[in-house]
Amino acid sequence: MTGIIGKKMGMTQLFDDDGNVVAVTVVQAGPCPVTQVRTLDDDGYEAVQLAFEECKDKHISKPELGHLKKAGVKHGMRHLVEFQGLGDLKVGDTVTVEAFEDGQSVSVAGISKGKGFQGTVKRHKFGRGLETHGSHNIRQPGSVGASASPARVFKGKRMAGHMGARRVTQQGLRIVRRDVENNLLLIKGSVPGAKDSVVVIKGREQ
């Protein structure tokens, strides 16, 4: 498996070899230095920790800054993410978009756009009620429980509430093209998150 951290830059479109228009999401991915390697003997599991997005030292905590200095990173990094099963990487290596291939299948995880407080029609795809004269159930949620017994609303009921702003993983996406010089991955379709949000890309071996 391959993995990298990136930032969603926006969307555009390309023409494939057959002349068809393909909508793609542009992700600035890496370079991501390896800051720690988890081993089965020391940590109980195997994983590789990658860092992404340079920042000033004052913007991160002193323990995190010391952790980065120990790994040989000379400046602060905003994001640290662990990946399981990245192979034979060691501290000091750098993961770039060259680790991926054109046409490779990937999954992209990110924080979805926040929609605020929404009703059941938008949040859970409920159907609408009648719009006839005298109807009071056009966009209402309907019945949520019985009256006498159990005389309460069960937990977990699909109701109105906060929508979005949660971690979402989009699977089955495909890398259309790589731009190694500019550290860009062009992924077919849309990926979770707003513009400039951080995403985690994982790809399976071909």
Side-chain angles (χ1 to χ4, degrees):
M1 188 186 77
T2 54
I4 200 170
I5 315 169
K7 178 183 291 187
K8 181 178 177 180
M9 306 302 294
M11 294 194 68
T12 185
Q13 58 187 21
L14 301 174
F15 289 95
D16 60 12
D17 297 335
D18 298 328
N20 300 318
V21 177
V22 180
V24 296
T25 301
V26 182
V27 178
Q28 181 183 359
C32 297
V34 178
T35 54
Q36 190 173 9
V37 176
R38 302 283 191 178
T39 61
L40 196 61
D41 296 334
D42 296 336
D43 305 288
Y45 65 100
E46 295 180 345
V48 175
Q49 185 186 81
L50 302 182
F52 175 70
E53 193 174 3
E54 297 182 10
C55 66
K56 295 182 179 179
D57 293 349
K58 65 179 182 179
H59 290 158
I60 61 176
S61 64
K62 289 185 178 180
E64 187 174 354
L65 183 61
H67 172 69
L68 294 174
K69 297 293 185 183
K70 184 179 179 181
V73 181
K74 299 180 180 179
H75 39 70
M77 305 292 281
R78 291 187 185 275
H79 308 283
L80 298 176
V81 178
E82 284 190 359
F83 296 83
Q84 294 187 0
L86 286 193
D88 300 328
L89 292 174
K90 58 182 182 298
V91 176
D93 292 345
T94 301
V95 178
T96 64
V97 295
E98 293 182 286
F100 294 85
E101 300 178 3
D102 293 347
Q104 184 175 359
S105 177
V106 296
S107 64
V108 181
I111 304 299
S112 62
K113 291 182 178 180
K115 305 294 184 179
F117 190 97
Q118 298 296 334
T120 55
V121 173
K122 180 172 182 177
R123 191 183 187 205
H124 299 295
K125 304 295 188 294
F126 277 21
R128 294 164 61 98
L130 297 177
E131 296 186 74
T132 54
H133 179 70
S135 172
H136 298 283
N137 189 30
I138 298 177
R139 292 177 67 94
Q140 300 300 316
S143 176
V144 294
S147 175
S149 176
R152 64 187 178 89
V153 178
F154 287 109
K155 291 183 179 180
K157 201 75 174 175
R158 293 186 298 167
M159 304 177 72
H162 186 270
M163 180 179 178
R166 62 187 181 89
R167 184 176 176 86
V168 178
T169 301
Q170 185 76 23
Q171 297 180 335
L173 300 177
R174 180 173 58 85
I175 296 177
V176 178
R177 191 176 302 170
R178 300 174 303 162
D179 187 344
V180 178
E181 295 182 358
N182 298 312
N183 300 314
L184 298 178
L185 287 177
L186 277 64
I187 302 173
K188 182 178 180 179
S190 60
V191 303
K195 184 180 178 180
D196 293 330
S197 63
V198 176
V199 294
V200 177
I201 303 172
K202 297 179 181 180
R204 294 183 177 181
E205 299 296 339
Q206 296 283 47

